[in-house]
Amino acid sequence: MTENIRIDGARLWNSIMEMAEIGATANGGSHRLTLSDEDKIGRDLFAKWCADAGLSMSVDEMGDMFARRRGSDDSLAPVGIGSHLDTQPFGGKFDGVFGVLAGLEVVRTLNDHAVTTATPLEVVNWTNEEGARFAPAMLASGVYGGVFDLDWAQSRVAVDTGATVLDELKRIGYHGQQSARQHDFSAFFECHIEQGPILDSEGISVGVVDAAQGFRWYDISFEGFAQHTGSTPMVGRRNALLGMAKIVQAVDDIAHEHAPLARGTVGGQVEVAPGSRNIIPGRVNFTVDMRHPSADTLAAMDASLREVCDQVAADIGLSLALEQISYTAPVAFDERCVAAVKGACERLGMSHTYITSGAGHDACFVANIVPTTMLFAPCKDGISHHESESAEPEDLEAVCNVLLHAVLDVAGTAS
């Protein structure tokens, strides 16, 4: 009875475009950082849409939003569908947002056709997936998945104001009372743009995500000695920025040593002190991001990074502080959920391929305790985390239709 149901692609697209207007940037992107005023407006709009669709809303201690549609047996754990509404600074319109609003569109479509699922459904907005304003990324889903301690997560500090996560949750009115760790799901699905070029370049409609790379994030500091650039001989200088420059090259080398799947990047956040053109940099703080789908390889990359940092510090005469602030293990997604997505692609006649996610997502932490998978939609040239991030309406519609039928497969319908 449900095999011919399709989502309303125009409604999905219009919802994404309306959300994009909150924090819209001059170059066509969105700037809606976690727990900012813009994030509150976006959350409020999402809450209104959920209420209009007849959903009941609950909010947990990390500000995660759970919009529930009753099932025929409401005692069953719900099937979750969602992602995040926060963006990167001057980021794109689709990253995360597509996954939340695709979940809402599934519910709206079921309402249109008066279909009741056997298990309840919940559309989810996870807090601070991006990690741009509060590090690390996937903070709230990490608390849910048992990776981060609640008190530690709530004490993370905003890079712009110095306010904590808890401060800002209270300020914008999204500090809920529900436990951030005790929320049952029977399964969880996350739709996302690919953030890579495979689907777009090969003309494939759907990425069936069966795994995700692991990654490690580091905060690193070198401290040397700030001296006059003109009167200090080259020999004996303790240039902290020179130390960072050597690590930039070393991280690139480490990634190439584990090609083609490894990724290594220095940057994103760099602070150099004292910041004068005629003073040798005495201190530098910077970040490192390393990724690989094998936990063993990622551990080897970690060991190489630590070894080279120690060596550079000794060679230049610097003191070193290195902290791994986040570790996400490689993920193999649930076989039953993956099969539901693949089966939906086949029934709908959608071209598809298995794909390993190169980026971290909330689903990676949710998968620690809930059967989980992801679906990818093509994005133009694989560009993401940028205002020019772009996706076609028909591509998002196709993936959302696959989501709908995968969810129906797992949630079942009322007899």
Side-chain angles (χ1 to χ4, degrees), residues 216 248 251-252 255 263-268 286-291:
R216 296 177 186 258
V248 172
V251 168
D252 196 69
R263 305 287 187 269
T265 308
V266 176
F286 59 99
T287 60
V288 173
D289 176 318
M290 296 202 303
R291 304 179 185 234

Side-chain angles (χ1 to χ4, degrees), residues 43-217:
R43 286 167 171 264
D44 290 347
L45 178 60
F46 172 60
K48 177 184 180 302
W49 285 340
C50 290
D52 291 345
L55 308 184
S56 59
M57 181 70 70
S58 62
V59 180
D60 72 12
E61 300 161 295
M62 285 298 295
D64 300 316
M65 302 171 69
F66 305 94
R68 185 181 182 95
R69 184 179 193 261
R70 294 177 64 87
S72 62
D73 184 349
D74 216 44
S75 67
L76 297 173
V79 173
I81 319 166
S83 192
H84 60 95
L85 293 175
D86 66 315
T87 75
Q88 285 286 330
F90 300 94
K93 296 192 286 280
F94 303 97
D95 177 358
V97 178
F98 168 50
V100 177
L101 299 184
L104 179 59
E105 179 54 35
V106 165
V107 166
R108 286 168 163 172
T109 298
L110 295 177
N111 288 348
D112 292 343
H113 294 272
V115 174
T116 300
T117 53
T119 67
L121 303 180
E122 286 192 351
V123 185
V124 186
N125 171 36
W126 298 103
T127 298
N128 194 59
E129 192 275 349
E130 294 292 2
R133 189 174 182 227
F134 299 93
M138 297 120 68
L139 187 63
S141 57
V143 173
Y144 177 78
V147 177
F148 305 130
D149 176 76
L150 174 64
D151 291 339
W152 181 85
Q154 289 183 335
S155 70
R156 297 305 87 200
V157 175
V159 297
D160 52 355
T161 66
T164 67
V165 167
L166 183 58
D167 292 336
E168 292 294 81
L169 284 170
K170 291 179 176 179
R171 183 184 70 83
I172 70 168
Y174 277 91
H175 178 230
Q177 299 306 306
Q178 179 179 308
S179 169
R181 282 202 169 147
Q182 295 177 354
H183 194 98
D184 290 336
F185 289 111
S186 58
F188 185 79
F189 292 85
E190 181 173 1
C191 277
H192 212 280
I193 56 170
E194 182 192 353
Q195 299 181 289
I198 296 172
L199 299 177
D200 183 53
S201 63
E202 297 184 12
I204 299 172
S205 297
V206 184
V208 181
V209 186
D210 59 355
Q213 288 195 109
F215 69 89
R216 296 177 186 258
W217 277 9

Side-chain angles (χ1 to χ4, degrees), residues 8-21:
D8 184 334
R11 180 171 58 193
L12 171 63
W13 182 261
N14 290 338
S15 296
I16 294 171
M17 292 302 105
E18 186 172 347
M19 185 63 71
E21 288 302 310

